[in-house]
């Protein structure tokens, strides 16, 4: 691995912090953290390792990311829950032109009004971050969850 | 049981204890999953080569299916004949033989015991008795059958051929499994906190779709004013519901009843880029095959949804196998993968179902003496030329009561 400027690592960590905050509390802004042509995928570890192409959730372009938000907020029927992301162990895996490849670990919890909190998903991000604009943006985000058996549904993004 | 009356047959009511009572649950295992039924266990495409194996379950009981040298398929319990170890701890793989890690008892791909370390002892000491016969200590084997690449297993001896078992539903089964080689695109696994029957009933209730699923109705994938019908085998144990998507807006009458309909536009319309690929006019065909699967064709999104019970009346594991055909081109594969957004743990449609079946468990569990009312569409249990009916639920409960002796 090449040496990475500490300020870039710090910027990327701050970007992940922002991502977690937006997912948990400002989901309407979630698509804004991606480039217009970004791809977003949630994939089980099982499919990922067996090179089976089925995602659990996938969006191709910011329009589809916005449609997901519309479904979460308007069309899907579900018991209200609070989501919390913990994102850590951020590592830069490569740099090319104005993109940075990164991995990070995530743990996402969900809490209900009357039944307490549980782990929704634990896994790793495999991302490509665009550094060309004034703000960092995800060009590609793949969320691989390790426990293949999902408790209920993954309604909000990981 | 005292439910039902002169006016209503018993199967127009659902007694809520069937979702929570442990003794009913145990009887279901004996009579339904381990009784006279063909249980789906997998696809031939999942174990194409000699030595390929896959782990799954029939009701509560974990089983392994494996491909032998001659191409035949064995299905046997994942329980070592020695001490009961669940020896197969991978979900799939390839092996010449299956070995228990504890004392290394070894089985061939048909479940026959072929190796026991220290069988003759060591330096004249120990060993099994001379009259110990390994042939009497094979893994417990199930009967196996296949139809166009789909594998079924049964604990019962002398089961009828799968074609006779599927009966009048066979043409609908064959529509999806027409002999073309299948390509597995991936799996989803969900834990759903409700009785296993509730998810089967969810599919056997075609009228909820036009009300609950705002996404479906708002984007025209399933609406009450679309031509649809329901068909059954002669027992009413298998079922298919079909709809035909129309390229026009919902009628005023349909809109009045479907209050959840919204005026929405997709910003990423590619999601619903679908093409006609099956004969006939139907664009949505949902089937339930007794006892443990749902077959899904929503436009180009194809899946088998398998119910795996886990010893708990109040929850089950739901395994989805999403597939296409080996002959699909890349555009078709991408289309199926995009449409997969409708289904599974993050499905724009399935999320709603998962929530309401869990809420049904919460609602019925504390009220075992209460009962549900299923009279939509009258008291019929047979084929109908519309989908605003609970006939398929009544047919399910009629057959369920027969098998269960309730």
């Amino acid at each position: 691995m090449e040496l990475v400027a500490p300020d870039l690592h710090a910027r990327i960590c701050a970007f992940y912090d922002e991502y977690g905050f937006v997912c948990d509390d400002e989901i309407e802004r979630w698509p804004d953290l991606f480039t217009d042509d970004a791809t977003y995928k949630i994939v089980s570890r099982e499919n990922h390792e067996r090179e089976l192409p089925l995602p659990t959730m996938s969006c191709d372009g910011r329009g589809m990311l916005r449609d997901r938000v519309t479904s979460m907020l308007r069309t899907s029927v579900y018991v209200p829950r609070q989501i919390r992301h913990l994102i850590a162990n951020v590592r830069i895996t490569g740099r090319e032109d104005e993109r940075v490849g990164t991995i990070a670990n995530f743990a996402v919890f969900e809490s209900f009004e009357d039944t307490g909190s549980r782990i929704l998903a634990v896994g790793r991000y495999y991302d490509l971050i665009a550094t060309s604009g004034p703000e960092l943006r995800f060009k590609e985000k793949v969320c691989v969850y390790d426990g293949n058996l999902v408790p209920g549904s993954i309604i909000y993004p990981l | 049981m005292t439910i039902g009356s002169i006016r209503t047959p018993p199967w127009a009511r659902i007694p809520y204890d069937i979702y929570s009572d442990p003794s009913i649950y145990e009887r279901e295992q004996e009579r339904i999953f381990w009784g006279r039924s063909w249980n789906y266990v997998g696809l031939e495409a999942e174990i194409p080569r000699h030595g390929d194996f896959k782990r799954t379950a029939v009701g509560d009981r974990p089983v392994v299916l494996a491909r032998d040298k001659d191409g035949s398929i064995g299905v046997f319990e994942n329980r070592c004949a020695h001490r009961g170890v669940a020896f197969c701890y991978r979900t799939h793989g390839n092996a010449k033989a299956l070995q228990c890690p504890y004392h290394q008892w070894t089985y061939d791909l048909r479940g026959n015991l072929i190796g026991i370390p220290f069988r003759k002892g060591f330096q004249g000491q120990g060993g099994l008795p001379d009259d110990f016969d390994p042939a009497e200590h094979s893994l417990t084997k199930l009967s196996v059958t296949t139809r166009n690449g789909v594998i079924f297993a049964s604990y019962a001896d002398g089961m009828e051929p799968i074609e006779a078992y599927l009966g009048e539903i066979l043409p609908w089964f064959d529509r999806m499994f027409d002999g073309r080689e299948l390509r597995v695109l991936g799996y989803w696994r969900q834990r759903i906190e409700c009785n296993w029957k509730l998810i089967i009933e969810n599919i056997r209730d075609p009228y909820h779709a036009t009300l609950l699923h705002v996404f479906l109705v708002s984007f025209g994938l399933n609406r009450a004013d679309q031509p649809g019908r329901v068909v059954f085998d002669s027992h009413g144990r298998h079922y298919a519901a079909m709809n035909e998507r129309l390229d026009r807006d919902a009628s005023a009458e349909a809109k009045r009843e479907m209050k959840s309909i919204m005026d929405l536009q997709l910003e990423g319309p590619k999601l619903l880029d679908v093409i006609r690929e099956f004969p006939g006019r139907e664009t949505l065909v949902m089937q339930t095959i007794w006892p443990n699967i749902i077959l899904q064709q929503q436009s180009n999104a194809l899946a088998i949804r398998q119910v795996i019970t886990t010893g708990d009346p109040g929850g089950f594991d739901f395994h989805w196998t999403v597939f296409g055909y080996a002959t699909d081109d890349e555009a078709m594969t991408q289309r199926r993968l995009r449409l997969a957004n409708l289904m599974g743990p993050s499905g724009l449609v399935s999320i709603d179902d998962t929530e309401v079946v869990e809420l049904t468990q919460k609602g019925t569990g504390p009220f075992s003496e209460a009962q549900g009312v299923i009279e939509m569409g009258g008291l019929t249990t047979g084929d109908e030329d519309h989908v605003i009916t609970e006939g398929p639920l009544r047919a399910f409960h009629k057959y369920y009561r027969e098998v269960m002796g309730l």
Side-chain angles (χ1 to χ4, degrees), chain A residues 2-157:
Chain A
E2 65 173 302
L3 285 173
V4 173
D7 61 327
L8 179 64
H9 187 264
R11 255 184 101 199
I12 286 172
C13 285
F15 182 53
Y16 275 108
D17 287 348
E18 173 72 358
Y19 180 83
F21 179 80
V22 166
C23 284
D24 294 345
D25 292 313
E26 291 184 40
I27 196 64
E28 300 89 336
R29 282 180 54 218
W30 177 62
D32 301 340
L33 302 182
F34 293 80
T35 62
D36 284 342
D37 62 345
T39 56
Y40 174 83
K41 266 185 202 168
I42 297 177
V43 188
S44 69
R45 171 70 52 192
E46 174 179 33
N47 290 340
H48 183 70
E49 285 185 353
R50 294 177 72 172
E51 296 181 357
L52 294 168
L54 180 73
T56 300
M57 185 190 293
S58 68
C59 300
D60 188 359
R62 204 186 267 169
M64 285 179 81
L65 292 163
R66 289 211 186 94
D67 289 338
R68 265 289 167 182
V69 173
T70 303
S71 72
M72 289 166 220
L73 299 180
R74 296 186 64 190
T75 67
S76 292
V77 177
Y78 54 90
V79 174
R81 63 204 65 193
Q82 176 63 54
I83 300 293
R84 294 283 177 227
H85 283 64
L86 300 184
I87 301 169
N89 301 60
V90 177
R91 173 180 280 190
I92 294 173
T93 54
R95 288 181 75 174
E96 187 186 321
D97 299 330
E98 294 182 306
R99 293 172 188 178
V100 179
T102 56
I103 57 173
N105 291 350
F106 65 81
V108 179
F109 303 85
E110 58 182 2
S111 307
F112 299 85
E113 282 177 7
D114 59 352
T115 54
S117 304
R118 69 180 177 187
I119 297 169
L120 175 64
V122 172
R124 177 164 281 179
Y125 296 132
Y126 298 85
D127 300 339
L128 204 54
I129 297 174
T131 56
S132 51
E135 307 285 345
L136 300 181
R137 292 284 176 264
F138 288 111
K139 167 91 177 67
E140 196 180 296
K141 187 165 188 65
V142 180
C143 320
V144 179
Y145 57 93
D146 295 337
N148 296 311
L149 189 70
V150 174
S153 301
I154 300 173
I155 297 166
Y156 295 97

Side-chain angles (χ1 to χ4, degrees), chain B residues 183-257:
Chain B
R183 181 187 167 206
V184 173
L185 298 176
Y187 302 95
W188 291 317
R189 302 175 195 273
Q190 274 179 288
R191 174 69 185 175
I192 300 184
E193 300 299 338
C194 77
N195 185 265
W196 67 275
K197 295 187 293 300
L198 283 166
I199 204 71
I200 303 284
E201 291 177 13
N202 174 258
I203 299 299
R204 292 185 69 126
D205 159 14
Y207 107 91
H208 85 275
T210 64
L211 299 166
L212 171 65
H213 299 307
V214 182
F215 186 89
L216 274 187
V217 298
S218 296
F219 296 109
L221 287 169
N222 187 346
R223 289 198 314 247
D225 57 339
Q226 296 170 343
R229 57 202 176 94
V230 296
V231 299
F232 303 87
D233 72 315
S234 60
H235 299 278
R237 60 187 173 184
H238 317 304
Y239 144 90
M242 52 224 74
N243 272 66
E244 181 187 331
R245 184 148 70 113
L246 301 176
D247 292 321
R248 60 170 164 78
D249 283 346
S251 68
E253 185 199 355
K255 274 188 177 166
R256 232 178 3 257
E257 295 299 322

Side-chain angles (χ1 to χ4, degrees), chain B residues 103-141:
Chain B
H103 307 89
Q104 295 177 6
W105 283 34
T106 305
Y107 304 91
D108 69 14
L109 298 164
R110 306 304 298 262
N112 299 306
L113 180 59
I114 54 169
I116 308 171
F118 298 123
R119 183 178 172 189
K120 302 290 181 201
F122 183 67
Q123 294 181 342
Q125 291 182 306
L128 287 165
D130 290 339
D131 61 353
F132 183 89
D133 182 4
E136 289 174 11
H137 300 279
S138 296
L139 300 171
T140 302
K141 300 170 187 173

